[in-house]
Amino acid sequence: MIKPAVVSVLSIATGALVWPYATAGTLYSLHPIAMGIFAASSIGAVVTLQRTTEESKTAAARAKNLDLHGALQLLAVTSATVGFYAIYTVGAPVCPPLFSVPAHVNKINNNRAHFKTPHGILGVTVYTLSLATTVAGILLKNGVVSRKYTYAHRYFGLASLFGTVLTAAVGLVLYYDKKAMGPVAGPLIALAFTGSALVALYNPLNLGSKGAAKKQ
């Protein structure tokens, strides 16, 4: 029941975030949309590895879940890249007709500095960590890096997830479009992401602590 519940919450929260910005039609709209997908995919990538049923503990199921984990993480870092693109790029409309209005709200067009706010600093830090963790995962899966580093990959991934959700929560609480989304939508979506992440984080941390205890 854990995985379907988390997927349902993430789907509703992401939809609630994406729809108002998608209908706005600006290039900047791609930033909250893409970063929302980044957060949801990152949480989903961790949830896929949870062994919540006996069936999910088989080798075949773990291999399938690992492939899904990798696909979701690739979606996450791709979405984050699009999110940064939307912040930096000016001028031309993209993805017509949905995003057919030229950019007019992003930082460059308004002479605003990058990486000066907690949200911006956290964002670039988390993006770098997530990208590095994803590359490390690909190297591990393909045998380029020894599997003895799997635990390091796991905990860097969990740190990345923690930072991702924190950054998303800051953005949703402080910078969301209250006029388009209503007065409480941003904090509610942040709460949904945070709750889903806590569920996602519990199982890997618990398994890791058990594994460490067995080695002692």
Side-chain angles (χ1 to χ4, degrees), residues 25-38:
T26 63
L27 178 59
Y28 172 79
S29 300
L30 283 175
H31 180 73
I33 290 172
M35 291 310 190
I37 295 172
F38 170 48

Side-chain angles (χ1 to χ4, degrees), residues 49-62:
L49 298 181
Q50 291 204 5
R51 303 178 188 180
T52 55
T53 64
E54 287 300 320
E55 182 183 357
S56 68
K57 295 177 183 178
T58 66
R62 288 198 299 271

